[in-house]
Amino acid sequence: MLFGKKEPPTRSELIVEADRARSKGKLKKAIAGYRKALELEPKDPAVHVKLAPLLARVDEGEASLQSFRTAAQAHLDKGFADKALAVYTQAAETFPTQVHLWQQVAQMHLARGRRADAVKMYLRGRLHLRAKNERREATELLKEALALEPTLFEPRLDLSLLLARQHLRAEAMALLEPMVKAVKGAQLRQVRWTMFRVSPSLGALWRWLRATPG
């Protein structure tokens, strides 16, 4: 080594420095550090998982998603399916309106025999889709949840209202009508009220009033 010449930082040093920058909220510095570390080991899942959320925060959405995918695939290549699942779950939470991510997580749960967890992921994704222009995606997630667990009560009502708002009232009523004979009490009143909201009429209002205690 020539006198006075400084050795370039090692990969570990780059990561430590990037971690320090991240902890101080210096996002651009942290991102630059992680990217330099990835030049030395491009598929390191641990670094990609640190980098991805930061990229999302600086509006580099596509780069963030690519880092999440790279991390997940690296885990899958090593046989760590649960770690890959955790990465995709984090990606879905980071980009909650990206329906395909919730679907990916749900499918991974199903592949491992976790039906209930798959349903939870579909429903969690739906909670993030509240805007008018997101109704179609919300409908899609609810339908997939109900395909796995048809007896879900609140999601069924939710789906019927979403369908009605998309001018699919017949489909909405087809979901609600079988519930009238399957439930009673407070749940029956909820169903009757939802039916009135889907298709307002004096008859629907009267049926709801009859189901409501005096």
Side-chain angles (χ1 to χ4, degrees), residues 48-194:
H48 275 293
V49 164
K50 292 178 179 180
L51 175 61
L54 300 185
L55 292 172
R57 289 173 65 183
V58 297
D59 296 323
E60 290 192 41
E62 284 304 317
S64 175
L65 285 169
Q66 186 55 52
S67 274
F68 276 126
R69 292 190 191 101
T70 300
Q73 190 59 52
H75 285 314
L76 287 173
D77 290 343
K78 295 177 182 178
F80 300 139
D82 280 338
K83 288 185 177 181
L85 179 56
V87 171
Y88 270 116
T89 302
Q90 186 182 357
E93 296 288 358
T94 304
F95 297 96
T97 61
Q98 297 278 340
V99 172
H100 67 92
L101 292 173
W102 296 109
Q103 291 170 324
Q104 176 75 34
V105 174
Q107 288 301 314
M108 291 177 78
H109 276 301
L110 282 176
R112 298 181 69 74
R114 301 168 182 167
R115 188 186 187 93
D117 288 326
V119 172
K120 287 178 184 177
M121 289 301 104
Y122 286 130
L123 297 180
R124 188 188 299 182
R126 186 277 176 267
L127 289 176
H128 292 283
L129 301 168
R130 294 295 182 184
K132 184 176 180 179
N133 63 353
E134 294 169 344
R135 287 173 180 168
R136 185 176 298 178
E137 291 80 3
T139 297
E140 187 176 346
L141 291 180
L142 284 173
K143 283 184 174 181
E144 293 188 70
L146 287 165
L148 294 175
E149 185 50 74
T151 61
L152 293 170
F153 182 74
E154 294 291 348
R156 201 175 183 91
L157 299 184
D158 186 13
L159 177 57
S160 68
L161 290 172
L162 277 174
L163 290 169
R165 288 166 187 152
Q166 296 170 79
H167 308 291
L168 299 170
R169 290 184 176 83
E171 188 176 345
M173 293 301 287
L175 277 173
L176 295 169
E177 285 165 355
M179 299 177 73
V180 173
K181 295 180 180 179
V183 298
K184 56 185 178 181
Q187 286 191 331
L188 177 59
R189 290 191 290 277
Q190 281 183 267
V191 172
R192 286 296 191 191
W193 177 244
T194 304

